[in-house]
């Protein structure tokens, strides 16, 4: 994650085009729901696992 924060433009094209391809494939298959799962690295230092919805 560190490099993508330091050099976001290096990852921008891949992230955007990958998302567009995914959405096009979903539309072609008639899928309308997407479940998003984020990396826990955005939550900082862990104090306990699993990370609950109410965690700061």
């Amino acid at each position: 994650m560190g490099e993508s924060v330091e050099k976001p433009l290096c990852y921008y094209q891949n992230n955007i085009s990958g998302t567009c391809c995914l959405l096009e494939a979903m539309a072609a298959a008639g899928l309308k729901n997407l479940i998003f799962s984020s990396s826990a690295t955005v939550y900082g230092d862990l104090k306990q696992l699993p990370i609950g919805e109410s965690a700061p």
Side-chain angles (χ1 to χ4, degrees), residues 2-36:
E3 184 181 62
S4 65
V5 172
E6 293 174 17
K7 303 175 185 177
L9 292 179
C10 294
Y11 293 82
Y12 184 80
Q13 178 65 36
N14 183 61
N15 290 340
I16 298 300
S17 64
T19 300
C20 288
C21 288
L22 173 63
L23 295 174
E24 289 171 358
M26 288 176 65
L31 301 174
K32 297 181 180 182
N33 296 313
L34 182 68
I35 297 173
F36 177 76

Side-chain angles (χ1 to χ4, degrees), residues 22-52:
L22 173 63
L23 295 174
E24 289 171 358
M26 288 176 65
L31 301 174
K32 297 181 180 182
N33 296 313
L34 182 68
I35 297 173
F36 177 76
S37 177
S38 178
S39 169
T41 59
V42 299
Y43 297 111
D45 295 329
L46 301 177
K47 294 190 176 33
Q48 78 178 57
L49 287 173
I51 300 171

